[in-house]
Amino acid sequence: MKIPDLTNYENLIGGICGGATSTALCHPFDLLKTRFSANEGHPLRPQYTSYADAVRRIVRVEGVRGLYQGWTPGLIGASLSWGLYFQWYNSLSTKINEGFSTGSEFANNLISGFIAGSAIMCITNPIWLTKTRLCLQYENQASKKYTGMIDCMRKTVQQEGFFGLYRGFVTGVIGTTHGAVQIAAYGWIKDTISEARGVPKESFSKQTDIMFASSTSKIIATTVTFPYQVLRTRMQDHNSNSRGVLQTTLKTIRNEGVTGLWKGCFIANFRQLPAAVITFLTYENVKQLVALTKE
């Protein structure tokens, strides 16, 4: 049986595979990042002394399964987000570079990344909200408010209305600058390496180069834009009454100082670095496999 030509969807397929693979392997790090980012010192939360202490206490009460709370919406959200992001980003960047160029390819790519990310956030915000809330169901609580992704969505709509699913949406849109910085930096690093070696950009396929480009771009993007992740986590947390972006920002700075906006940044880099490498390695290699369908 002849395999149909799927090259028009190589970015979509590669992104879905990359997002799914990284989430399957790295979700426990994401859970820890979410918990440390949300922790403003409230007594209802377990006060972990370290990341190792958090793992030990979660596993003691809930087993290894406790490290995978929120895994289902995380898997769906990452697969959908990365698939659509790579597909729409590449389409937009081609159109902008050809017809509406700012004169800088890096700036064009930033714009493409921001537009693609904002559009995707309109679709995926409810999924990320449920992931956050499931991750913030602690082992020291007598009972869990949500039994799963669908139950969380249903109860959120019942108690907060449909737009309750879009808590943290503004910070999510602001956070699309993270993806824009990452993808633009990744593209710039790829182009720089290819140019230094005197090879076409399309031939960028050396595994070590992909690892270097993806890890470097991720560290830059995560560190520079991390405050939005703290604010978004706290606004989506069902255990607190945080509402607006400004209110949450001022409250965090007042109680924890400016460094409170980077709470969880270390574990975020620790978690997101392997996730980014896995995502981009999978994406680039799946793209090459999909390209074979043209033959």
Side-chain angles (χ1 to χ4, degrees):
M1 184 178 71
K2 187 178 184 301
I3 299 175
D5 183 359
L6 300 173
T7 50
N8 288 335
Y9 305 100
E10 61 181 8
N11 293 299
L12 176 67
I13 297 169
I16 289 173
C17 292
T21 305
S22 63
T23 301
L25 296 175
C26 301
H27 182 77
F29 295 120
D30 202 20
L31 179 134
L32 293 176
K33 184 268 293 184
T34 300
R35 291 195 174 187
F36 275 82
S37 294
N39 188 9
E40 76 292 71
H42 195 286
L44 71 83
R45 307 181 196 275
Q47 299 302 309
Y48 307 120
T49 57
S50 65
Y51 298 119
D53 177 56
V55 172
R56 185 168 56 251
R57 291 167 65 175
I58 293 169
V59 172
R60 185 173 63 236
V61 177
E62 302 182 319
V64 175
R65 185 178 179 181
L67 297 173
Y68 284 86
Q69 291 183 94
W71 184 82
T72 299
L75 184 67
I76 295 171
S79 302
L80 186 61
S81 295
W82 279 114
L84 292 176
Y85 190 85
F86 280 123
Q87 186 74 15
W88 292 353
Y89 166 79
N90 281 280
S91 177
L92 279 168
S93 62
T94 299
K95 287 183 172 63
I96 290 176
N97 281 313
E98 288 178 353
F100 306 96
S101 179
T102 62
S104 166
E105 187 174 348
F106 185 82
N108 295 340
N109 291 341
L110 278 176
I111 294 170
S112 301
F114 180 76
I115 294 173
S118 298
I120 292 164
M121 190 56 59
C122 294
I123 300 170
T124 60
N125 197 84
I127 300 173
W128 295 125
L129 178 131
T130 60
K131 191 214 78 170
T132 297
R133 292 189 169 184
L134 290 173
C135 284
L136 295 176
Q137 296 196 117
Y138 300 104
E139 66 277 3
N140 64 340
Q141 294 175 332
S143 61
K144 300 286 178 70
K145 185 174 181 178
Y146 310 114
T147 59
M149 176 179 170
I150 300 301
D151 182 59
C152 181
M153 285 187 172
R154 181 175 58 81
K155 287 179 178 175
T156 298
V157 172
Q158 286 177 347
Q159 296 165 11
E160 304 172 43
F162 174 77
F163 288 105
L165 295 172
Y166 282 85
R167 282 185 71 174
F169 175 74
V170 174
T171 50
V173 171
I174 294 171
T176 58
T177 55
H178 173 108
V181 170
Q182 181 186 0
I183 199 73
Y186 178 76
W188 179 80
I189 294 169
K190 279 178 58 175
D191 293 348
T192 301
I193 292 174
S194 299
E195 184 178 339
R197 290 186 175 155
V199 297
K201 298 177 184 179
E202 295 74 21
S203 65
F204 188 84
S205 60
K206 196 174 180 180
Q207 304 301 297
T208 52
D209 290 346
I210 297 172
M211 292 173 68
F212 174 76
S214 58
S215 58
T216 303
S217 60
K218 190 62 176 181
I219 290 172
I220 294 170
T222 297
T223 304
V224 170
T225 66
F226 191 73
Y228 98 86
Q229 296 191 45
V230 173
L231 297 175
R232 189 174 180 220
T233 295
R234 295 187 176 190
M235 290 174 68
Q236 292 184 335
D237 183 8
H238 62 284
N239 297 302
S240 72
N241 61 356
S242 297
R243 288 293 186 268
V245 177
L246 181 60
Q247 177 195 5
T248 307
T249 303
L250 294 176
K251 181 180 178 182
T252 299
I253 294 174
R254 184 171 60 249
N255 295 337
E256 303 164 63
V258 175
T259 56
L261 295 172
W262 273 267
K263 207 167 188 177
C265 186
F266 176 79
I267 193 64
N269 269 306
F270 190 75
R271 178 266 174 191
Q272 294 174 353
L273 196 56
V277 172
I278 291 168
T279 299
F280 279 84
L281 274 174
T282 305
Y283 164 71
E284 295 285 5
N285 283 284
V286 169
K287 263 183 65 180
Q288 290 179 38
L289 289 175
V290 173
L292 297 177
T293 65
K294 193 169 187 178
E295 300 173 6

